[in-house]
């Protein structure tokens, strides 16, 4: 392997590592305000909602409101199971099983 490639790989690794390490290094030494921590805790919920709701609530091209999609029918009992048990593995297994059954039946 030519030495230019090794230097190129090392430079690419450094360029991708530094933007991740610098904020973590800086923030690990500082206490965050409580309002900021509360705001950060909402990010996973917002991202998950943005990923799931368009596929659950709409279909077709162009996208239209479709209230009885198999995904939405399966999402409701899966969400209730998740709220009651707080089990990630159980929720995933139940959601996959219900979705498989919904595709066979509907």
């Amino acid at each position: 392997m030519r030495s230019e490639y090794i230097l190129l790989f090392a430079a690419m690794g450094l360029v991708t590592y530094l933007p991740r390490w610098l904020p973590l290094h800086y923030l690990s030494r500082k206490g965050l305000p409580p309002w900021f921590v509360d705001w950060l805790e909402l990010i996973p919920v917002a991202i998950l909602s943005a990923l799931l709701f368009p596929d659950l609530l709409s279909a077709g091209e162009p996208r239209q409101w479709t209230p009885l999609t198999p995904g939405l029918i399966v999402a409701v009992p899966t969400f209730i199971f998740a709220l009651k048990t707080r089990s990630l593995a159980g929720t995933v297994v139940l959601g996959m099983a219900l979705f498989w059954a919904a595709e066979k039946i509907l």
Side-chain angles (χ1 to χ4, degrees):
M1 181 180 283
R2 295 174 43 181
S3 63
E4 293 91 19
Y5 288 123
I6 293 173
L7 183 62
L8 180 66
F9 289 141
M12 288 190 308
L14 186 66
V15 167
T16 57
Y17 181 74
L18 275 179
R20 296 177 183 145
W21 178 78
L22 282 175
L24 287 176
H25 180 71
Y26 176 74
L27 292 175
S28 67
R29 296 172 188 236
K30 296 202 173 239
L32 297 174
W35 65 267
F36 190 66
V37 173
D38 291 342
W39 181 77
L40 287 174
E41 290 176 354
L42 296 175
I43 290 176
V45 174
I47 291 172
L48 188 61
S49 299
L51 291 173
L52 288 178
F53 285 147
D55 280 339
L56 291 177
L57 300 175
S58 63
E61 191 65 38
R63 290 215 170 257
Q64 298 175 356
W65 162 255
T66 52
L68 293 177
T69 61
L72 184 59
I73 293 170
V74 168
V76 172
T78 304
F79 183 70
I80 293 169
F81 178 83
L83 283 177
K84 291 205 181 263
T85 64
R86 305 251 181 221
S87 167
L88 177 62
T91 302
V92 170
V93 169
L94 177 70
M96 290 174 63
L98 288 176
F99 193 77
W100 175 80
E103 281 192 340
K104 294 287 183 192
I105 294 170
L106 301 176

